[in-house]
Amino acid sequence: MTTKPSNTDVATAPEEKWQPRLALLVAATFFMEFLDGTVLTTAIPSIASDFRIAPADVNITMTAYLVTVAMGIPLSSWLAERLGARRVFCLAIAIFTVASLLCALSTDLTMLTLSRVAQGAGGAMMVPVGTLVVLRGTPKSELLRATAYLVWPGLLAPVLAPLVGGALTTFLSWHWIFLINVPLGIAAFIAALRLVPRTRLDGRRRLDWFGLLLTTLGVGALVIGLETLGGHAPGFVAAVVVGAGALSLAGAVWWMAKARFPLFNLNVFGTRTFRATSTGGFIYRLTISSVPFLLPLMFQDGFGWDPLKAGIMVAAVFVGNIGIKPATTPIIRRFGFKPVLVFASFASAVTFALCAFLDAQTPEPLIFALLLFSGAFRSIGFSAYASVQYADIVPGQLPSANAISATLVQLAAAAGIAVGALFLRLFETADVFGTDQVSAYKGAFIAMALLMLISTVDSLTLHRHAGAEVSGGAKRGAK
């Protein structure tokens, strides 16, 4: 029995060429989305003062945003195939821009929280759909260059957020944290209409409602639980929420493995280079995400520095990211994915361990140099993982692989802060490294270094020529 070819939303052959302007556009929208996830932190006191509420109450606006982004990603994959990636990407930019304006116009906490939810809905579609637009039009030989554009927002936004938020709040007002997105969003929308190619639609693509329900509930519960565990007053309820989220995701996997029209094609995990995303890659992102959380706290709480000085020192990570970025693609092409991933994770573990030996008497140029190298290793590892995960994925599996990857990135970011906070509390009570203000941070950084070594071990199990088609190395890769 033959079936009629599905009119799927795929790029045609003439579109499969490297488009740097399109990749840069998508990267710019990612930067807005990632930045808004954490930029609000420095403005919390100002917002609380304007709304005449306790600063702790404003945290709900950050959690609402992050949870909405995480929960919206699974649906975005289906929307892109059903309605078209171009249409959904432009809609996402429009929603994000309008919601940003509403955030700036908010007069109370309720309006700001609801506006942040809308902003998160736009961001949830921008990240995976934007990535899909770039990847579908990029041949494997140019995948390294494409991912180099797409990786930098996730590297720089968490580091720049405190500086950007602090500057806008200090010299203008907290409203400008959101108002700045309006002209940027309008420009991005116009550019998207010109640059994003039209693709055919799959109007018959069914939505796996039960799989979507289990996945979104699981992801939402995990993010909320991890955010709570990473706060100052974690408890039994937070642990139960995390457990419920994990069970819900396990149920989603069980359902999609047997469903006729699953939300995601789980066969992507049969590809070893993609599976690295959920094993060593997840651990790598988790530990890396803990650094922007631990460093400013250690500099202020442990060293007694003021927030500005701490922010400037953490910017060394940003300098390292930028400084090494032009070399990441040549490095991967020269040595291949496996050696680069092993080196990046092991070198990052070493820098974490060295951070444990820092104190207020350590020369500041030495601290800056250490963080500079840490940022460089961070950039290399992120770029390698972002590229190798799609190296052996066939076109038909790309939407599922892309959505799963985007979801794991969100979970790793939330888990990084939660795990870093849990290690801090553990070593505050254990007194393993002493009783001074820095001792708990010593333990936390050593623990994160050991955790990073798990990623190193996982990378060692990759095939010697893993992702060779993308890295330009040996012609033969492995799945």
Side-chain angles (χ1 to χ4, degrees):
M1 181 178 176
T2 59
T3 57
K4 186 178 179 180
S6 175
N7 190 26
T8 52
D9 175 23
V10 294
T12 56
E15 295 172 343
E16 292 188 359
K17 61 181 180 180
W18 168 232
Q19 301 180 66
R21 290 191 300 170
L22 175 59
L24 188 60
L25 165 65
V26 172
T29 61
F30 288 6
F31 186 78
M32 288 195 299
E33 191 272 322
F34 291 141
L35 189 70
D36 274 48
T38 53
V39 72
L40 202 61
T41 304
T42 52
I44 284 177
S46 297
I47 295 173
S49 177
D50 281 3
F51 292 169
R52 296 179 180 176
I53 57 177
D57 294 342
V58 184
N59 287 333
I60 190 175
T61 63
M62 295 183 61
T63 301
Y65 178 84
L66 294 173
V67 171
T68 306
V69 169
M71 293 180 69
I73 288 174
L75 179 62
S76 67
S77 175
W78 178 82
L79 287 174
E81 293 191 79
R82 183 67 184 265
L83 303 179
R86 180 179 187 268
R87 185 178 300 169
V88 174
F89 185 62
C90 291
L91 176 64
I93 296 173
I95 292 174
F96 188 87
T97 304
V98 172
S100 296
L101 178 60
L102 292 176
C103 286
L105 297 176
S106 296
T107 55
D108 56 38
L109 184 62
T110 300
M111 182 177 177
L112 179 59
T113 303
L114 292 176
S115 299
R116 289 283 280 174
V117 169
Q119 197 183 36
M125 292 186 289
M126 279 200 305
V127 174
V129 176
T131 302
L132 188 62
V133 166
V134 174
L135 294 180
R136 274 184 165 166
T138 304
K140 288 288 181 70
S141 61
E142 298 291 347
L143 189 58
L144 271 176
R145 294 177 64 188
T147 52
Y149 278 73
L150 300 179
V151 163
W152 68 264
L155 288 169
L156 304 187
V159 180
L160 286 180
L163 294 176
V164 173
L168 291 175
T169 304
T170 301
F171 299 109
L172 296 171
S173 71
W174 65 265
H175 306 83
W176 283 93
I177 289 176
F178 303 109
L179 286 175
I180 197 173
N181 287 332
V182 176
L184 295 177
I186 293 173
F189 183 83
I190 295 172
L193 291 176
R194 297 186 59 184
L195 296 176
V196 179
R198 295 182 181 274
T199 51
R200 296 191 299 272
L201 312 180
D202 185 2
R204 298 177 300 171
R205 171 72 187 274
R206 297 182 184 179
L207 178 60
D208 177 11
W209 287 102
F210 191 60
L212 176 65
L213 176 65
L214 289 174
T215 302
T216 52
L217 287 178
V219 171
L222 275 180
V223 173
I224 292 173
L226 290 170
E227 284 281 306
T228 305
L229 285 173
H232 295 291
F236 175 74
V237 174
V240 170
V241 172
V242 170
L247 286 175
S248 183
L249 286 182
V253 171
W254 171 81
W255 169 261
M256 285 185 276
K258 68 182 187 66
R260 184 178 179 186
F261 300 102
L263 181 66
F264 299 137
N265 181 357
L266 299 183
N267 290 332
V268 293
F269 288 107
T271 303
R272 178 63 181 95
T273 46
F274 179 80
R275 198 163 64 247
T277 301
S278 58
T279 52
F282 185 84
I283 297 295
Y284 186 88
R285 290 185 175 96
L286 184 155
T287 52
I288 288 294
S289 297
S290 70
V291 175
F293 167 75
L294 290 172
L295 280 176
L297 284 179
M298 184 175 73
F299 291 151
Q300 295 176 69
D301 182 44
F303 293 9
W305 292 0
D306 60 69
L308 179 60
K309 184 176 180 180
I312 292 174
M313 187 60 75
V314 174
V317 178
F318 159 76
V319 176
N321 286 334
I322 289 294
I324 198 65
K325 180 54 64 182
T328 53
T329 296
I331 288 173
I332 295 172
R333 290 197 186 280
R334 172 66 179 84
F335 298 101
F337 283 112
K338 179 178 178 177
V340 168
L341 288 172
V342 171
F343 169 77
S345 57
F346 182 77
S348 295
V350 171
T351 60
F352 292 168
L354 290 175
C355 283
F357 294 95
L358 299 177
D359 55 36
Q361 284 70 48
T362 305
E364 292 175 13
L366 188 61
I367 298 176
F368 190 91
L370 175 60
L371 299 187
L372 187 77
F373 280 106
S374 180
F377 301 145
R378 183 174 186 254
S379 183
I380 294 171
F382 261 85
S383 297
Y385 271 118
S387 301
V388 76
Q389 65 183 349
Y390 300 117
D392 301 314
I393 293 294
V394 297
Q397 295 179 338
L398 192 56
S400 293
N402 180 51
I404 291 171
S405 172
T407 303
L408 289 174
V409 167
Q410 291 292 328
L411 290 178
I417 296 174
V419 171
L422 287 173
F423 278 136
L424 269 184
R425 283 191 292 272
L426 175 64
F427 287 104
E428 280 174 354
T429 57
D431 293 337
V432 176
F433 296 94
T435 58
D436 58 21
Q437 290 291 95
V438 187
S439 60
Y441 296 97
K442 291 181 183 293
F445 274 112
I446 288 177
M448 299 311 289
L450 293 175
L451 198 59
M452 177 62 85
L453 291 178
I454 298 176
S455 178
T456 305
V457 173
D458 181 76
S459 296
L460 285 170
T461 65
L462 285 171
H463 190 277
R464 177 184 172 190
H465 300 304
E469 185 180 355
V470 171
S471 67
K475 295 292 182 186
R476 221 179 136 192
K479 286 188 180 184

